[in-house]
Amino acid sequence: MKIYITEVGPRDGLQNYPKIIDTKKKVEFINLLSESNVDEIEVSSFVSPKLVPQLSDAEEVFKNIKRNKKIIYSALVPNEKGLERALSVNVDKISVFTSASETFNLKNINMSIEESLNKFKNIIKIAKESSKLTRAYISTAFWCPYEGKIDSMKVRDISLKLLNMGVDEISLGDTIGKASPDDVRELLELILKDIKRDNIVMHFHVTYGMASANVYIAYREFSIYKFDSSVGGIGGCPFAPNARGNIATEDLVYMLKRLGANVMVDIEKVIQAYSILEIESYSYISKLKL
Ligand code: HMG
Ligand code: MG
């Protein structure tokens, strides 16, 4: 099975960065990423520009990037207004986002979980009528910064509701990077009883240094083959205190290649794209000659 990688650097990577990156630089970054053989690029978010000013240029970015036909260009959409904005610039894939924690969901999108699911029904319906691909994130799928450990049954139930609405896939977010390999095993063992692995994406953050171990478990023990990552390991959620970046694309690709996985991403091209941002990376690979 070919590994499917969604590069979330332009969205998750930049949404919490203390400086606002110039639109032209973002476009250049995404155009370079488009040469690296990633399967999908999460370009931006159509959220409140007051809350996430780093991504307030989502329309401009979409209008100016050069699209590679082999790549899916996706974006986060929290509500109808976000959907309208996303459709106006022909986003390929609409990614709604909720959480398995009520407290986090309120802080993140100002809705209870139920309110968000009710809103998404219509969004998914319109997205599908507009021939768009769809994804739903479930944040804090393992641990919440406010509520602690999350019950896996809750994640399973929300996943099933979203899949019943017709979303193509669920991305399980370890928002604060606190999941251990045993947590990942427990959730996947449960969820894969009812949900096909083709519908599951893993989205790991690196805060506690366990993201690579978690990918290993998901890939080796459960044959999960869809992963989110951000080049340089940049990222973090503004509404999750102390969350660090995503697993670095270069680390993810390097590990999967060493495991013999069928992964087509060109690490050097990804690093080349990242280097134009001039943001410090925690990932060491970018400093090595491979
Ligand atoms: P709200 O205040 O409840 O919204 O925010 P509202 O409908 O009451 O509207 C308030 C104002 O916002 C109005 O403007 C609206 O027009 C405007 P005003 O009349 O005051 O001038 N507004 C919008 N503007 C532009 N685009 C929109 C939009 N919606 C309303 N779509 C809302 C609700 C969801 C908008 C807000 O809470 C929000 O934008 N939150 C941002 C959440 C976010 O981006 N979080 C980070 C991404 S999630 C993440 O990082 C986790 C993930 O990586 C997975 C993981 O790691 O777990 C995905
Ligand atoms: Mg994230």
Side-chain angles (χ1 to χ4, degrees):
M1 183 60 73
K2 184 183 161 294
I3 300 289
Y4 184 99
I5 292 188
T6 300
E7 169 58 57
V8 297
R11 192 278 305 170
D12 205 328
L14 300 184
Q15 71 183 10
N16 202 27
Y17 188 60
K19 283 191 218 143
I20 295 182
I21 304 283
D22 182 64
T23 308
K24 250 171 115 180
K25 196 163 246 186
K26 286 182 189 166
V27 169
E28 197 187 342
F29 173 45
I30 294 163
N31 286 347
L32 286 166
L33 285 172
S34 293
E35 292 173 17
S36 69
N37 271 335
V38 292
D39 301 278
E40 177 171 339
I41 301 177
E42 197 166 68
V43 171
S44 196
S45 292
F46 293 93
V47 296
S48 158
K50 281 190 196 134
L51 294 178
V52 188
Q54 291 90 335
L55 304 181
S56 61
D57 58 356
E59 282 94 337
E60 280 314 297
V61 175
F62 264 101
K63 276 184 203 156
N64 285 292
I65 53 174
K66 213 175 336 140
R67 298 198 200 194
N68 175 338
K69 285 201 173 64
K70 291 190 203 137
I71 296 179
I72 290 163
Y73 295 89
S74 53
L76 291 195
V77 165
N79 55 16
E80 281 88 353
K81 174 141 194 186
L83 179 67
E84 207 178 289
R85 291 175 59 201
L87 293 178
S88 77
V89 287
N90 198 19
V91 170
D92 296 329
K93 183 172 180 176
I94 302 295
S95 299
V96 293
F97 55 110
T98 187
S99 169
S101 148
E102 290 290 355
T103 317
F104 179 78
N105 215 42
L106 277 173
K107 288 188 189 283
N108 196 36
I109 55 173
N110 198 26
M111 292 175 227
S112 69
I113 298 171
E114 203 182 327
E115 276 169 342
S116 64
L117 295 178
N118 284 337
K119 218 174 249 306
F120 295 165
K121 264 184 213 149
N122 195 37
I123 294 177
I124 298 301
K125 183 172 167 278
I126 298 172
K128 290 185 99 62
E129 282 165 5
S130 313
S131 306
K132 302 297 176 190
L133 296 165
T134 52
R135 154 185 287 206
Y137 280 98
I138 303 180
S139 289
T140 62
F142 302 91
W143 288 86
C144 168
Y146 311 102
E147 294 185 10
K149 184 74 178 79
I150 295 293
D151 181 356
S152 297
M153 282 301 281
K154 207 165 171 192
V155 182
R156 169 195 165 273
D157 293 350
I158 297 169
S159 302
L160 287 171
K161 284 182 185 163
L162 287 161
L163 287 166
N164 285 338
M165 283 177 209
V167 296
D168 299 317
E169 65 189 16
I170 305 289
S171 181
L172 298 171
D174 180 20
T175 319
I176 55 169
K178 199 171 176 177
S180 72
D182 284 347
D183 295 336
V184 174
R185 183 181 292 118
E186 189 219 303
L187 178 60
L188 286 176
E189 256 167 16
L190 179 78
I191 227 167
L192 290 171
K193 285 183 187 148
D194 301 302
I195 296 173
K196 285 193 274 182
R197 73 186 170 122
D198 307 292
N199 296 129
I200 299 291
V201 185
M202 302 309 291
H203 179 106
F204 292 118
H205 282 260
V206 296
T207 321
Y208 292 81
M210 290 184 281
S212 293
N214 291 339
V215 170
Y216 183 86
I217 297 290
Y219 171 69
R220 268 286 199 250
E221 293 189 10
F222 298 93
S223 303
I224 298 291
Y225 59 91
K226 296 187 197 175
F227 296 98
D228 297 342
S229 60
S230 82
V231 60
I234 52 174
C237 175
F239 307 94
N242 299 328
R244 286 195 54 212
N246 298 269
I247 184 168
T249 306
E250 56 273 36
D251 291 358
L252 173 72
V253 170
Y254 186 78
M255 181 175 82
L256 288 170
K257 282 191 175 175
R258 292 296 303 269
L259 292 174
N262 181 7
V263 49
M264 309 303 287
V265 176
D266 183 328
I267 296 183
E268 291 196 11
K269 284 263 163 77
V270 165
I271 291 171
Q272 211 181 321
Y274 170 74
S275 64
I276 69 148
L277 294 178
E278 296 167 9
I279 298 178
E280 187 57 36
S281 162
Y282 82 80
S283 160
Y284 198 70
I285 289 185
S286 55
K287 301 178 179 69
L288 298 175
K289 276 220 167 315
L290 292 169

